Amino acid sequence: MDMYTCDSMPSSRSEGSARSKLLSLAGMSKSYSPTVCALNGLDLSIEPGEFITVVGPSGCGKSTLFNIVAGLEEPDAGSEIRFLNKPVNKASELLGQVSFMPQRDLLLPWRTVIDNAILAIELEGKRRADARRIALDMLPEFGLAGFENQYPNQLSGGMRQRVALMRTFLFGRDLMLLDEPFGALDALTRTMMQRWLLDVWQKHRRTIMFITHDVEEALFLGDRVLVMTARPGRIKLELPVTLDRPREPDIVTSPEFIRLKRELLIAIEEESRKSFAPTPSAGH
Ligand code: ADP
């Protein structure tokens, strides 16, 4: 099999394992053309309330995976999706059933903080006045109290991301997909945002899938870290994060954290080398 085509990687997931999961994917493949296979035979499942982090080399199909789960792209025939224990025939059925925050915050520059935050629920049909009332109550929790009438260009990077996250939380779906939400932030802001996100997640008890390039971020946040293979993407390693919650910032210096980090780095390094391999067959 050529590394770049989606020739039938068998699913390793057994029948019936999808029960009592929020989301299960089995044998998920996605090819963009006969020569570009982004995902090939990917299996994963997520339990309600889990915080899953996803890492992998650039171009391994992380965004493709999110786009499918968000209902924005269709996988290849034969891919199986179950959501809330029901089979999903077309990924587009998932549109609007999950909250999705893409890499760029996508705030509308002509809308204020509060009107950006309510965008998704307003589009869903909620009256603007009602939506604003709900959002105003949430502002302090998102560190935005007093900023409701500011415009995005008046905010710091961290605040913009909190507005985008507030929009995603307000949308109120069981599953939230966050695609590198802190990737563009400086290290200090990023650490603050990670701690804040854990607090908000613990309070709201949503299920989160979170893409990141940062191994420490993946471990600090996640219940499980999924490492993807180089393209075509599958799950190479599912690493349970055996660290207690709530997690204090200094957990990153603990022996267990360092042990997990080493394991992750080895797996990622192996895959990153494949991404740079000169021949397609080097993927196997
Ligand atoms: P990641 O998010 O892990 O960086 P992507 O999911 O964006 O990876 O992309 C996976 C592979 O699929 C890449 O090789 C990329 O070039 C290709 N790809 C993604 N989207 C498209 C598209 N719309 N058309 C063609 N190829 C695509």
Side-chain angles (χ1 to χ4, degrees):
M1 189 189 70
D2 180 311
M3 179 181 176
Y4 298 115
T5 57
C6 281
D7 293 341
S8 65
M9 272 292 218
S11 166
S12 58
R13 211 26 74 104
S14 60
E15 287 279 322
S17 63
R19 302 243 160 73
S20 82
K21 306 288 184 199
L22 181 66
L23 173 76
S24 304
L25 309 177
M28 169 77 66
S29 296
K30 170 71 184 175
S31 41
Y32 285 106
S33 70
T35 52
V36 178
C37 176
L39 302 173
N40 198 1
L42 179 143
D43 301 313
L44 72 80
S45 58
I46 303 178
E47 286 172 26
E50 264 194 304
F51 197 135
I52 299 289
T53 48
V54 183
V55 293
S58 280
C60 73
K62 300 183 292 295
S63 300
T64 301
L65 170 65
F66 268 33
N67 286 340
I68 293 170
V69 175
L72 300 170
E73 294 201 53
E74 292 298 331
D76 294 349
S79 308
E80 285 174 34
I81 308 177
R82 292 178 70 88
F83 186 65
L84 295 169
N85 294 321
K86 293 199 190 79
V88 172
N89 296 318
K90 297 194 84 169
S92 58
E93 292 169 22
L94 293 169
L95 251 183
Q97 294 208 57
V98 300
S99 308
F100 181 34
M101 180 175 155
Q103 261 172 40
R104 285 177 43 239
D105 62 35
L106 299 182
L107 299 183
L108 301 178
W110 58 89
R111 281 194 156 217
T112 59
V113 162
I114 198 84
D115 288 338
N116 263 295
I118 63 171
L119 190 67
I121 51 175
E122 211 187 336
L123 287 173
E124 241 192 335
K126 201 165 215 59
R127 284 185 41 230
R128 185 177 277 206
D130 295 338
R132 277 191 174 147
R133 243 190 318 275
I134 300 166
L136 270 172
D137 284 346
M138 264 177 121
L139 280 177
E141 191 184 351
F142 283 75
L144 296 164
F147 288 88
E148 54 271 28
N149 295 320
Q150 304 276 301
Y151 288 89
N153 67 3
Q154 298 172 296
L155 305 176
S156 67
M159 290 171 92
R160 291 174 61 102
Q161 291 306 83
R162 289 202 297 275
V163 177
L165 279 161
M166 184 168 155
R167 176 196 286 168
T168 316
F169 269 89
L170 266 173
F171 197 47
R173 298 301 186 262
D174 293 326
L175 179 59
M176 293 179 41
L177 306 177
L178 308 180
D179 190 352
E180 282 211 75
F182 307 147
L185 302 177
D186 63 84
L188 196 61
T189 310
R190 193 178 178 128
T191 310
M192 305 286 287
M193 292 285 286
Q194 289 164 358
R195 280 192 251 161
W196 166 82
L197 179 61
L198 281 187
D199 287 346
V200 178
W201 168 72
Q202 256 149 1
K203 187 168 156 214
H204 291 266
R205 275 288 152 195
R206 298 283 178 74
T207 311
I208 295 183
M209 266 183 97
F210 185 110
I211 291 178
T212 177
H213 273 102
D214 181 334
V215 170
E216 288 206 359
E217 180 167 82
L219 283 171
F220 184 69
L221 296 176
D223 292 316
R224 260 190 303 152
V225 183
L226 306 182
V227 180
M228 286 180 67
T229 61
R231 192 179 73 155
R234 316 184 69 187
I235 304 301
K236 176 187 179 75
L237 173 71
E238 284 189 34
L239 187 72
V241 183
T242 44
L243 300 168
D244 293 341
R245 294 191 188 272
R247 293 183 185 159
E248 301 300 329
D250 65 357
I251 204 163
V252 300
T253 59
S254 70
E256 181 63 357
F257 191 95
I258 291 165
R259 185 189 68 75
L260 292 166
K261 186 174 165 186
R262 186 174 297 128
E263 194 171 339
L264 273 184
L265 285 172
I266 290 170
I268 294 168
E269 163 85 20
E270 225 172 76
E271 291 309 311
S272 300
R273 257 196 249 117
K274 286 183 198 165
S275 318
F276 286 105
T279 59
S281 58
H284 300 281

